[in-house]
Amino acid sequence: MNKKIGNIFKGDKVIWMIFFFLCMISLVEVFSASSNLTYKNHNYVGPIAFHAATIFLGAMVAVFTLNVPCRYFKLTTPFLLIISFITLLWVLVGGESINGANRVISLPGGITFQPSEIAKGTMVLITAQILSAMQREDGADKNAFKYILWILIPMAGLIGIENLSTAALLFAVIFLMMFIGRVPMTQMGKLVGGVVILVAIFLTMVFTLGSIGAEQESTKQTVEAVNNNGETDTKVIKGGGVFHRFVTWRNRIVKHLDKKDIAPDEYDLDKDAQVAHANIAIVSSNIIGKGPGQSVERDFLSQAFSDFIFAIVIEELGIFGASFVVLLYIVLLYRTARIASRCENNFPAFLAMGLALLLVVQASFNMLVAVGIAPVTGQPLPLISKGGTSTIINCAYIGVILSVSRSAKKREPKMALKEI
């Protein structure tokens, strides 16, 4: 019996334990945080049943992926690259809007998926291949930097049009991969300088065009039409034009930077409900937490099961429970680094580290937003937040890391291959 279980759960046992704990925390917290969904749908079991099924499917994907030899992942690169660019273009033209941005594609049968999730993993896969193929004794070849940017810039650009935070996340992860892959520091320095200039230009555009978009949104057009009963209906249509995302970005930055003290009786909870109720959830945890399923603010946070689930984790499990969640991600990154250091070839090492960084950096984004350190980004907490495409693909990332761990040799540090 133990042998059969061992054949299913192959790979690094620590990674498996981290995956198990994250999934269990997800089931408990999503069940608790989905009160809004259960109320709207008049279905108490439906939302958590769907999430549990998604996690189960994700676990099956992880088991399937870990049984794929690492060398075969290279063969999927051209197909994933084509799929990524086609779906990213598709979502811009015919995507379904979520929170004011076209981010998902709807397929027959009620199935939806986020092309950006596929694109992120594809970019990590391509970067790992380029860095591994162009490694030299003194570091990566100078052309590796150029080849990576040729693919990263258009891909991040397509993502950033409607989902700027995901584009920034992807850029940060690829930057860290290039650093680990020993890309020349002169090139890295030039990249940092270029990014600083682009950020300055971007912020100027955000505040300029965002103000124009805000004025357009305040302009209302009244349209009258005759309904089926012969009566005249009056509809109010708001503007916004092509600057609708600039308005969102500007508002988020302004709200985050506005730190002036406001008296409790003057604070408008409806004006910035997400951040306000997230802060209330954290403050009311009283260190030890209210206990699983005892959250109060979940009823007021519209994204309690997704973007702000870490605030619910703190409210219910307290500082110690939240610290345990943070520790799980830290151990995931550390353990993956240990696995990468034992790899005989560079490609699996870079691939495993890139995927671990993708999960951990995204988790950091989510946590920083939940505690009010970073502006609202809309990034879910990997493997904990409720999701469809994102949950399954994140499980696939875990499966790839486990696949790499299966082929990594248990060697002493002094006998390890060259540093990565």
Side-chain angles (χ1 to χ4, degrees):
M1 182 68 178
N2 290 335
K3 187 175 180 180
K4 290 182 179 179
I5 295 176
N7 289 333
I8 296 175
F9 300 102
K10 301 174 185 176
D12 189 84
K13 298 299 185 287
V14 176
I15 300 292
W16 268 116
M17 290 301 297
I18 294 169
F19 180 60
F20 173 78
F21 279 121
L22 288 173
C23 288
M24 291 301 101
I25 292 171
S26 177
L27 286 172
V28 173
E29 295 305 315
V30 168
F31 180 63
S32 175
S34 297
S35 59
N36 271 331
L37 291 179
T38 57
Y39 176 77
K40 290 177 181 178
N41 298 331
H42 304 288
N43 189 339
Y44 187 72
V45 179
I48 188 59
F50 177 81
H51 183 61
T54 302
I55 289 181
F56 179 77
L57 177 59
M60 295 300 99
V61 170
V63 171
F64 172 80
T65 308
L66 75 86
N67 283 283
V68 178
C70 191
R71 63 182 180 274
Y72 290 119
F73 294 131
K74 292 182 179 181
L75 301 178
T76 64
T77 302
F79 303 102
L80 290 175
L81 185 61
I82 293 172
I83 291 172
S84 295
F85 276 111
I86 290 176
T87 53
L88 286 174
L89 290 170
W90 182 2
V91 78
L92 291 178
V93 177
E96 183 178 328
S97 180
I98 294 181
N99 297 327
N102 290 2
R103 295 181 179 176
V104 300
I105 292 175
S106 297
L107 299 176
I111 300 173
T112 62
F113 76 95
Q114 292 180 273
S116 60
E117 295 295 329
I118 300 174
K120 287 189 299 184
T122 301
M123 192 65 230
V124 168
L125 178 62
I126 292 171
T127 303
Q129 286 189 241
I130 294 173
L131 290 174
S132 61
M134 306 192 74
Q135 283 294 304
R136 306 292 182 260
E137 290 296 328
D138 58 343
D141 188 283
K142 291 184 178 181
N143 288 324
F145 176 79
K146 179 173 60 177
Y147 296 150
I148 291 171
L149 290 188
W150 280 353
I151 304 173
L152 174 62
I153 291 174
M155 186 173 290
L158 288 173
I159 295 173
I161 293 173
E162 294 287 345
N163 198 343
L164 183 61
S165 60
T166 299
L169 166 67
L170 178 60
F171 185 88
V173 171
I174 300 304
F175 181 86
L176 291 173
M177 287 185 68
M178 289 193 291
F179 179 78
I180 294 172
R182 303 186 299 168
V183 168
M185 294 306 295
T186 54
Q187 292 181 317
M188 300 289 282
K190 291 178 181 178
L191 179 61
V192 171
V195 169
V196 170
I197 294 173
L198 289 175
V199 169
I201 295 173
F202 172 75
L203 290 176
T204 303
M205 293 176 62
V206 165
F207 281 92
T208 302
L209 299 180
S211 298
I212 296 174
E215 292 177 1
Q216 290 181 349
E217 284 191 345
S218 64
T219 303
K220 298 179 180 179
Q221 298 177 352
T222 303
V223 178
E224 293 186 353
V226 178
N227 61 24
N228 295 332
N229 298 322
E231 301 173 346
T232 301
D233 286 338
T234 301
K235 295 182 180 180
V236 177
I237 302 175
K238 285 189 176 182
V242 296
F243 305 126
H244 72 289
R245 294 306 296 167
F246 285 95
V247 177
T248 301
W249 297 330
R250 175 182 175 274
N251 291 341
R252 286 179 177 178
I253 294 172
V254 170
K255 287 179 181 178
H256 182 70
L257 296 178
D258 186 9
K259 298 296 184 182
K260 64 180 180 181
D261 293 331
I262 302 175
D265 58 339
E266 297 178 0
Y267 194 93
D268 188 354
L269 283 176
D270 295 326
K271 186 177 180 181
D272 199 8
Q274 291 278 60
V275 175
H277 287 292
N279 290 337
I280 294 172
I282 293 170
V283 172
S284 63
S285 66
N286 294 324
I287 300 179
I288 60 174
K290 298 177 180 177
Q294 301 302 312
S295 170
V296 174
E297 297 307 312
R298 64 189 177 189
D299 296 328
F300 304 98
L301 273 166
S302 61
Q303 295 296 319
F305 51 82
S306 180
D307 301 352
F308 283 88
I309 196 169
F310 190 63
I312 305 301
V313 170
I314 297 175
E315 183 184 10
E316 294 191 347
L317 304 183
I319 300 299
F320 297 109
S323 299
F324 178 69
V325 173
V326 173
L327 182 63
L328 289 175
Y329 289 108
I330 294 174
V331 174
L332 172 63
L333 184 61
Y334 172 76
R335 191 65 183 180
T336 305
R338 289 286 305 273
I339 293 169
S341 69
R342 298 198 303 263
C343 290
E344 292 183 335
N345 300 311
N346 285 314
F347 170 68
F350 289 138
L351 179 59
M353 281 303 299
L355 294 177
L357 284 168
L358 194 58
L359 293 171
V360 174
V361 172
Q362 182 174 328
S364 302
F365 270 47
N366 178 278
M367 294 173 185
L368 290 174
V369 169
V371 299
I373 296 177
V376 177
T377 60
Q379 292 296 323
L381 190 58
L383 299 171
I384 291 183
S385 292
K386 183 179 182 296
T389 308
S390 59
T391 298
I392 294 173
I393 291 180
N394 288 335
C395 290
Y397 294 162
I398 293 292
V400 174
I401 295 172
L402 289 168
S403 175
V404 172
S405 73
R406 289 184 59 201
S407 59
K409 306 297 180 183
K410 294 183 179 180
R411 296 171 294 150
E412 297 297 326
K414 64 181 181 180
M415 296 180 63
L417 197 65
K418 57 188 177 183
E419 294 182 6
I420 58 172

